[in-house]
């Protein structure tokens, strides 16, 4: 028994340090980090947990599938994806987030829950439960050989894109006045308004940037999972939400790190565990989530006294 | 005055449930199923209300207690000779035990209550967003285990050949039992202490209320009631693991919030109102007679309309249809006797 366990463990460790598994895990972590930024940015400014974020990605993915169905060129498909996601996010901000800005977090969370189900059921009505296929970028899913390991191109593309997006975001937040306003609003919305930050502008900006990131994620995810169904990205969103809270929602950096970490852990365990155990992957990961929350309810990557107190 | 208010607080929801059940008796067999469904929904929503409404902490995990109830009642009440057909890997004692209707419901409640107590022991230390995500994690884990661990149930298979004992009468009795339990709890010392922690945690602490203990007690009780509702559910329809997952979590929470999450009356009104709307739309998908004209809407409209209306109610009336208050005729009295 212990021998079996030991050999299983060595197998696991061998697979875990495998470069291919590592790159895939980092790639997934990068995509999750982008989603975490999208969720964390909106939370920072509006104090609203956007459960419907996954459905924005789903809508973008359907736009890509629609374009590839029609045989449109790739660039046009991506443009359509961005347009759909951005219009949807702004509409969501105007119709749901803004009127609910003063409500309790629970009401806002359940409202975004409702929006999520609304979008999902519209997709179900429109495209059916089996969904469509987005195939125009499938070429990126092929591996390239570097040295003697095969690495899927999409993993590299995902890592580079995520790094680029995060770099641009850091520049925006730290080097422009809009970024300054957003950071001020995230710190203290009321005081920021008093000193002349325009509330509607920053909240629209946060939602817009989150929407752009959702479109990027839609493009990256459809390469890996070309079959787009109404529940596309739903699971990923739940996992990222958990990751964001585990990392610490109060700061964008800790939220992003949380998203990356949970994506990395998911990728690593999914790649290295044998099938008999990998079906219990969610149990492992969410068990870890509960453990971390119990030990550090304010977040894994936050400094100082936790903002959230235990009772 | 206090007694009268108490009678109304318990009487109004119970009357509503019995009214719905009586209405269900009058309609045809094919429509009856909607009424049973609505009554089962009332049990679930009131069970969730016992914790969420009284404590003010949102829980996404309660459907996992419903699921545990479904599993307990389902596995224990399938006839022994039918079990190998869709649950071939059961533990021996589960395979060899079959109990009657009432016992299986009780077992569902107890299993879910114990589970909620065990889960709550660590989790009730958390609050706010961390608590929300942690309860979500409980839902994910429970669903994941029930889905793949075939020694405790059918896994991905549907619970077929569970005796379909949940008729109108049982569903109504079940709903009334859950409502009475919720009423007794919220009028008890413990319920009042928990509500005090919801309104002002610091003040409640200052007068010696342990937030942790009160939340834990409510969580376990609410888990027990949710399990009971789950037992009723599996005795009503052949369901599988996907029936007690995200969709049900969403719809029950939405019912609670639409009704008004801080009152028992709100929980019952929300469950019945949303169920009614859902049923009307469901039958409209098959075509219904409305004022002499047959109205038919495309399949799938139902869920779109329901979720759109939910979002709308949340935006226009965030405290719910009842405003989160118990039914009271006081404003009416004041209107009749202005002095």
């Amino acid at each position: 028994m212990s021998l079996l366990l030991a050999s299983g463990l060595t197998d696991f460790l061998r697979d875990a340090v495998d470069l291919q598994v590592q790159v895939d895990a980092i790639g997934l972590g990068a995509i999750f980090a982008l989603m975490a930024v999208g969720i964390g940015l909106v939370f920072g400014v509006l104090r609203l947990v956007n459960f419907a974020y996954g459905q924005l990605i789903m809508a973008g993915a359907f736009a890509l599938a629609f374009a590839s169905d029609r045989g449109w060129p790739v660039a046009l498909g991506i443009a359509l994806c961005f347009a759909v996601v951005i219009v949807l996010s702004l509409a969501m901000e105007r119709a749901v987030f803004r009127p609910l800005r003063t409500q309790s977090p629970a009401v806002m969370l359940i409202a975004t829950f409702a929006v999520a189900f609304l979008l999902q059921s519209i997709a179900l009505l429109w495209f059916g439960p089996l969904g469509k296929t987005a195939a125009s970028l499938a070429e990126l899913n092929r591996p390239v050989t570097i040295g003697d390991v095969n690495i899927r191109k999409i993993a590299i593309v995902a890592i580079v894109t995520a790094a680029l997006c995060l770099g641009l975001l850091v520049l925006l937040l730290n080097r422009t006045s809009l970024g300054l306003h957003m950071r001020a609003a995230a710190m203290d919305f009321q005081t920021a308004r008093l000193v002349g930050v325009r509330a509607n502008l920053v909240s629209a900006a946060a939602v817009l940037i989150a929407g752009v990131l959702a479109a990027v994620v839609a493009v990256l995810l459809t390469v890996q999972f070309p079959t787009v169904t109404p529940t596309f990205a739903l699971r990923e969103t739940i996992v990222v939400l958990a990751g964001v809270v585990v990392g610490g929602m109060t700061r964008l950096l800790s939220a992003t790190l949380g998203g990356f970490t949970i994506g990395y852990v998911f990728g690593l365990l999914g790649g290295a565990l044998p099938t008999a155990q990998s079906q219990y992957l969610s149990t492992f990961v969410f068990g870890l989530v509960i453990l971390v929350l119990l030990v550090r309810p304010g977040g894994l990557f936050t400094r100082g006294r936790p903002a959230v107190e235990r009772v | 005055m206090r007694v009268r208010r108490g009678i109304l607080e318990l009487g109004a929801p119970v009357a509503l449930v019995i009214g719905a059940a009586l209405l269900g008796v009058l309609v045809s067999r094919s429509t009856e199923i909607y009424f049973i469904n609505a009554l089962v929904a009332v049990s679930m929503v009131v069970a969730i209300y016992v914790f969420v409404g009284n404590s003010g902490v949102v829980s996404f995990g309660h459907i996992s207690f419903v699921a545990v109830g479904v599993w307990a009642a389902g596995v224990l009440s399938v006839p022994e000779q039918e079990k190998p057909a869709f649950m071939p890997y059961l533990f021996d004692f589960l395979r060899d035990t079959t109990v009657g209707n009432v016992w299986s419901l009780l077992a569902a409640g107890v299993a879910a209550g114990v589970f909620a107590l065990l889960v709550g022991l660590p989790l009730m230390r958390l609050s706010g967003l961390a608590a929300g995500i942690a309860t979500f994690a409980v839902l994910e884990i429970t669903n994941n285990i029930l889905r793949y661990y075939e020694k405790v149930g059918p896994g991905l298979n549907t619970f077929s050949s569970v005796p379909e004992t949940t008729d109108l009468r049982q569903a109504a009795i079940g709903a009334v039992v859950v409502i009475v339990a919720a009423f007794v709890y919220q009028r008890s010392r413990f319920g009042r202490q928990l509500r005090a922690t919801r309104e002002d945690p610091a003040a409640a602490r200052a007068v010696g209320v342990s937030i942790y203990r009160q939340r834990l007690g409510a969580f376990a009780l609410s888990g027990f009631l949710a399990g009971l509702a789950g037992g009723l559910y599996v005795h009503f329809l052949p369901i599988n693991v996907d029936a007690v997952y995200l969709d049900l979590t969403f719809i029950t929470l939405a019912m609670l919030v639409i009704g008004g999450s801080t009152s028992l009356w709100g929980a019952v009104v929300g469950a019945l109102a949303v169920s009614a709307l859902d049923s009307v739309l469901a039958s409209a998908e098959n075509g219904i007679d409305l004022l002499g004209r047959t109205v038919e809407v495309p399949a799938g409209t139902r869920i779109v309309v329901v979720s759109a209306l939910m979002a709308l109610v949340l935006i226009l009336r965030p405290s719910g249809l009842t405003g989160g208050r118990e039914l009271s005729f006081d404003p009416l009295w004041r209107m009749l006797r202005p002095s």
Side-chain angles (χ1 to χ4, degrees):
Chain A
M1 181 62 203
S2 63
L3 200 70
L4 200 71
L5 203 69
S7 84
L9 194 65
T10 41
D11 275 357
F12 171 77
L13 286 177
R14 196 190 55 229
D15 287 340
V17 295
D18 184 65
L19 194 60
Q20 197 176 331
V21 173
Q22 283 290 336
V23 175
D24 272 348
I26 295 175
L28 194 63
I31 295 180
F32 280 23
L34 285 180
M35 292 171 70
V37 174
I39 291 171
L41 204 60
V42 172
F43 179 82
V45 174
L46 291 168
R47 288 288 175 268
L48 170 139
V49 178
N50 188 3
F51 195 85
Y53 198 65
Q55 277 65 32
L56 289 177
I57 298 170
M58 180 268 290
F62 267 117
L64 287 168
F66 177 81
S68 99
D69 233 25
R70 296 285 161 98
W72 290 5
V74 177
L76 198 58
I78 293 179
L80 181 69
C81 165
F82 273 79
V84 166
V85 177
I86 287 171
V87 167
L88 256 184
S89 347
L90 289 179
M92 213 191 269
E93 195 266 341
R94 191 68 196 79
V96 184
F97 297 174
R98 207 178 284 183
L100 288 179
R101 198 155 56 198
T102 50
Q103 292 300 326
S104 76
V107 169
M108 292 202 284
L109 180 57
I110 291 175
T112 64
F113 228 64
V115 173
F117 268 76
L118 177 62
L119 292 177
Q120 193 178 315
S121 49
I122 290 175
L124 192 67
L125 194 61
W126 207 337
F127 302 105
L130 297 179
K132 286 173 165 293
T133 311
S136 33
L137 281 166
E139 204 271 325
L140 280 178
N141 222 2
R142 298 230 182 82
V144 287
T145 312
I146 302 173
D148 54 351
V149 286
N150 293 325
I151 292 172
R152 291 185 303 153
K153 282 184 201 161
I154 181 63
I156 301 168
V157 173
I159 296 169
V160 172
T161 314
L164 207 67
C165 288
L166 294 184
L168 282 176
L169 185 68
V170 168
L171 281 184
L172 177 82
L173 286 178
N174 289 330
R175 291 277 182 271
T176 66
S177 64
L178 180 66
L180 183 68
H181 289 179
M182 284 169 67
R183 281 186 295 139
M187 224 171 253
D188 186 337
F189 202 79
Q190 292 311 324
T191 313
R193 288 187 80 169
L194 287 179
V195 295
V197 169
R198 285 163 61 193
N200 290 340
L201 183 75
V202 285
S203 91
V207 170
L208 180 73
I209 296 170
V212 171
L213 292 173
V216 172
V217 172
V219 175
L220 293 175
L221 271 183
T222 44
V223 176
Q224 305 202 23
F225 312 104
T227 310
V228 184
T229 61
T231 54
F232 189 81
L234 178 66
R235 279 211 62 77
E236 282 81 0
T237 312
I238 293 173
V239 173
V240 169
L241 268 178
V244 162
V245 174
V246 163
M249 281 213 100
T250 41
R251 282 166 61 231
L252 197 53
L253 180 66
S254 54
T256 315
L257 278 177
F260 175 80
T261 309
I262 206 163
Y264 179 74
V265 169
F266 239 99
L268 201 63
L269 290 179
L273 282 177
T275 339
Q277 274 131 48
S278 72
Q279 63 187 15
Y280 292 114
L281 187 58
S282 319
T283 302
F284 286 131
V285 174
F286 281 100
L288 277 179
V289 165
I290 291 181
L291 264 181
V292 171
L293 286 177
L294 288 173
V295 180
R296 297 205 54 153
L300 199 55
F301 302 112
T302 47
R303 278 172 305 182
R305 245 177 103 254
V308 191
E309 276 183 34
R310 278 176 288 185
V311 293
Chain B
M1 186 66 188
R2 234 181 101 179
V3 175
R4 195 178 72 198
R5 203 171 275 164
I7 292 172
L8 203 59
E9 194 176 321
L10 175 65
V14 169
L16 207 57
V17 162
I18 292 177
L22 289 179
L23 204 60
V25 175
L26 298 176
V27 300
S28 68
R29 269 257 174 271
S30 58
T31 320
E32 192 186 3
I33 196 164
Y34 294 127
F35 284 85
I36 303 176
N37 203 10
L39 292 174
V40 173
V42 168
S43 328
M44 285 182 199
V45 175
V46 172
I48 296 171
Y49 156 77
V50 168
F51 178 73
V52 174
N54 289 316
S55 74
V57 178
V58 180
S59 161
F60 295 101
H62 270 71
I63 296 305
S64 59
F65 307 139
V66 173
V68 168
V70 164
W71 250 241
V75 168
L76 287 177
S77 58
V78 173
E80 266 155 63
Q81 63 274 19
E82 312 255 0
K83 282 187 186 179
F86 66 100
M87 301 186 281
Y89 307 107
L90 280 186
F91 280 121
D92 289 352
F93 71 96
L94 288 175
R95 193 187 59 212
D96 301 335
T97 321
T98 299
V99 298
N101 174 18
V102 176
W103 286 111
S104 78
L105 291 178
L106 209 60
V110 170
V114 170
F115 179 54
L117 182 67
L118 292 178
V119 164
L121 277 173
L123 251 56
M124 289 300 109
R125 294 260 170 220
L126 299 172
S127 57
L129 215 52
I133 292 293
T135 52
F136 213 118
V138 171
L139 177 69
E140 284 290 328
I141 291 174
T142 313
N143 186 270
N144 190 236
I145 289 178
L146 293 182
R147 185 178 295 257
Y148 294 115
Y149 194 53
E150 294 185 320
K151 287 189 173 179
V152 295
L156 277 165
N157 293 331
T158 299
F159 267 110
S160 48
S161 53
V162 177
E164 295 187 0
T165 48
T166 305
D167 50 8
L168 259 181
R169 195 172 53 119
Q170 276 212 9
I173 293 174
V176 169
V177 165
V178 175
I179 289 172
V180 169
F183 171 77
V184 170
Y185 172 73
Q186 76 183 19
R187 306 277 288 191
S188 74
R189 197 154 62 93
F190 306 113
R192 289 184 197 282
Q193 288 188 10
L194 185 61
R195 290 168 91 85
T197 71
R198 180 190 74 197
E199 296 303 326
D200 191 335
R205 257 192 192 155
V207 294
V209 177
S210 159
I211 300 183
Y212 171 66
R213 268 192 222 149
Q214 295 310 329
R215 281 190 186 164
L216 183 61
F219 200 64
L221 174 65
S222 140
F224 173 85
L225 297 174
L228 190 69
L232 289 170
Y233 195 26
V234 74
H235 278 294
F236 163 54
L237 284 175
I239 50 181
N240 70 358
V241 68
D242 283 320
V244 281
Y245 191 35
L246 285 179
D247 289 14
L248 192 63
T249 302
F250 163 69
I251 201 118
T252 47
L253 272 181
M255 283 170 172
L256 183 59
V257 172
I258 284 178
S261 64
T262 50
S263 70
L264 179 57
W265 174 238
V268 175
V269 167
L272 286 177
V274 174
S275 298
L277 176 72
D278 196 47
S279 310
V280 169
L281 288 168
S283 47
E285 282 177 6
N286 306 322
I288 48 165
D289 254 10
L290 204 68
L291 305 171
R293 283 202 330 218
T294 308
V295 180
E296 201 171 328
V297 295
T301 320
R302 178 167 68 115
I303 190 127
V304 174
V305 175
V306 169
S307 41
L309 267 177
M310 282 168 186
L312 211 64
V313 169
L314 284 168
I315 291 165
L316 298 179
R317 219 181 140 80
S319 55
L321 294 175
T322 63
R325 283 187 293 274
E326 300 295 348
L327 182 65
S328 162
F329 291 128
D330 291 352
L332 202 67
W333 295 135
R334 272 199 294 276
M335 229 157 54
L336 292 176
R337 278 180 305 181
S339 59

